[in-house]
Amino acid sequence: DTGVSQDPRHKITKRGQNVTFRCDPISEHNRLYWYRQTLGQGPEFLTYFQNEAQLEKSRLLSDRFSAERPKGSFSTLEIQRTEQGDSAMYLCASSPKAGGPLRSTDTQYFGPGTRLTVL
Amino acid sequence: GNSVTQMEGPVTLSEEAFLTINCTYTATGYPSLFWYVQYPGEGLQLLLKATKADDKGSNKGFEATYRKETTSFHLEKGSVQVSESAVYFCALSRAGGFKTIFGAGTRLFVKA
């Protein structure tokens, strides 16, 4: 079990550029989540996939943001026309499929995050 | 809606002191409750969890008890170490494994 991995760990971009982040969940997990964390705050939910289906999206996810999980394994989060307000840590998490220990699907395991700085 | 409130930091303690970080929640139904820890520049690590009322989660000397009557999940440790200086997040997730809702975090500084 190698844990959740994210790439890149750091990204610096200029305002108006597009950026894409990748998340590889724990291999046997079928649920994948994206969160955004700004300085001094707790993570805020962005979106959630079960296998390849995107089942929930936060109102925080404006039309400049898009997430995909085409084969139900890794996921990408793209931000188009970045703004300085997009600067944050983007966290990915995964959780187990149903059928395991009671409430095991409730527990999310987080990756190290991608820190985005928009200049 | 569902929410988590935790005590504001920073909390500054001397090494080997007793730690309490208060956490209360508002939720419909019976959520699972969690404490996560975040070290500087890193992602969140699950510290402990409890899935039903009166459950006690424990790990690495940290404990928290799911109190439904007071809607609380306070984190405690009998003797903190300098290496445990970090930000601690209380969180909840409703049954079924959907989004996790986090408190704002409490920064802990432990002095040698």
Side-chain angles (χ1 to χ4, degrees), chain A residues 93-118:
Chain A
S94 68
S95 67
K97 61 181 67 174
L102 185 65
R103 305 293 291 268
S104 62
T105 55
D106 297 354
T107 304
Q108 297 176 16
Y109 298 88
F110 283 79
T114 295
R115 181 167 296 284
L116 172 66
T117 302
V118 181

Side-chain angles (χ1 to χ4, degrees), chain A residues 37 40-43, chain B residues 4-11 13 19-23 34-40 44-48 59-63 73-77 79-91 102-110:
Chain A
Q37 185 181 21
Q41 299 298 316
Chain B
V4 175
T5 303
Q6 57 183 111
M7 62 189 287
E8 288 189 24
V11 173
L13 296 174
L19 168 71
T20 300
I21 301 178
N22 290 338
C23 171
F34 307 88
W35 278 99
Y36 285 86
V37 58
Q38 187 173 37
Y39 295 97
L44 278 74
Q45 298 177 25
L46 177 66
L47 182 59
L48 55 83
N59 185 29
K60 301 179 182 178
F62 291 89
E63 295 182 339
F73 193 56
H74 305 319
L75 182 68
E76 296 183 334
K77 188 173 192 281
S79 175
V80 292
Q81 305 301 310
V82 172
S83 60
E84 292 165 339
S85 298
V87 181
Y88 292 80
F89 291 94
C90 185
F102 290 85
T106 302
R107 182 173 294 278
L108 171 66
F109 290 107
V110 181

